[in-house]
Amino acid sequence: LPNSTGVLVLGILSIVFCFCYGLIGLVLGIIAIVLANKANKLYLENSQNYSESSYKNMKAGKVCAIIGVCLSSLYLVVIIIYIAIVGAALTAMPWAEMMNQY
């Protein structure tokens, strides 16, 4: 299958890079899922033209990509919540009163 190794590599990299603020892993995972869906469609149309091992590589890459997208999305949500909490805490501080004391 075309891109079956690429799907596997991108799927694994999406898991590896999911902790880079979630963005890199999310992008790599989405690209891998799109490529896997195209390769799956090709395999279903002409399964006799492609090897079983490339199909299994594509399926494993798609599973890794789905896991990477889930982890990246979760990490991105955690980062956004953290920024919102820190931002709310910093805006609630009495900065004017603190500056007048010194």
Side-chain angles (χ1 to χ4, degrees), residues 15-53:
I15 294 174
V16 171
F17 289 117
C18 71
F19 297 109
C20 294
Y21 299 108
L23 295 176
I24 297 173
L26 194 62
V27 169
L28 292 176
I30 290 172
I31 292 171
I33 290 172
V34 169
L35 289 176
N37 287 337
K38 288 180 183 179
N40 192 25
K41 186 184 290 186
L42 283 174
Y43 183 78
L44 292 177
E45 289 173 357
N46 296 318
S47 61
Q48 68 274 9
N49 293 342
Y50 305 110
S51 67
E52 186 71 26
S53 64

Side-chain angles (χ1 to χ4, degrees), residues 32-94:
I33 290 172
V34 169
L35 289 176
N37 287 337
K38 288 180 183 179
N40 192 25
K41 186 184 290 186
L42 283 174
Y43 183 78
L44 292 177
E45 289 173 357
N46 296 318
S47 61
Q48 68 274 9
N49 293 342
Y50 305 110
S51 67
E52 186 71 26
S53 64
S54 67
Y55 182 70
K56 288 182 180 180
N57 279 346
M58 186 270 304
K59 286 189 66 127
K62 187 174 180 180
V63 169
C64 289
I66 291 170
I67 292 170
V69 166
C70 292
L71 288 175
S72 297
S73 301
L74 183 66
Y75 195 72
L76 188 62
V77 167
V78 167
I79 293 293
I80 291 171
I81 291 172
Y82 177 75
I83 290 172
I85 290 173
V86 169
L90 289 177
T91 57
M93 297 277 294

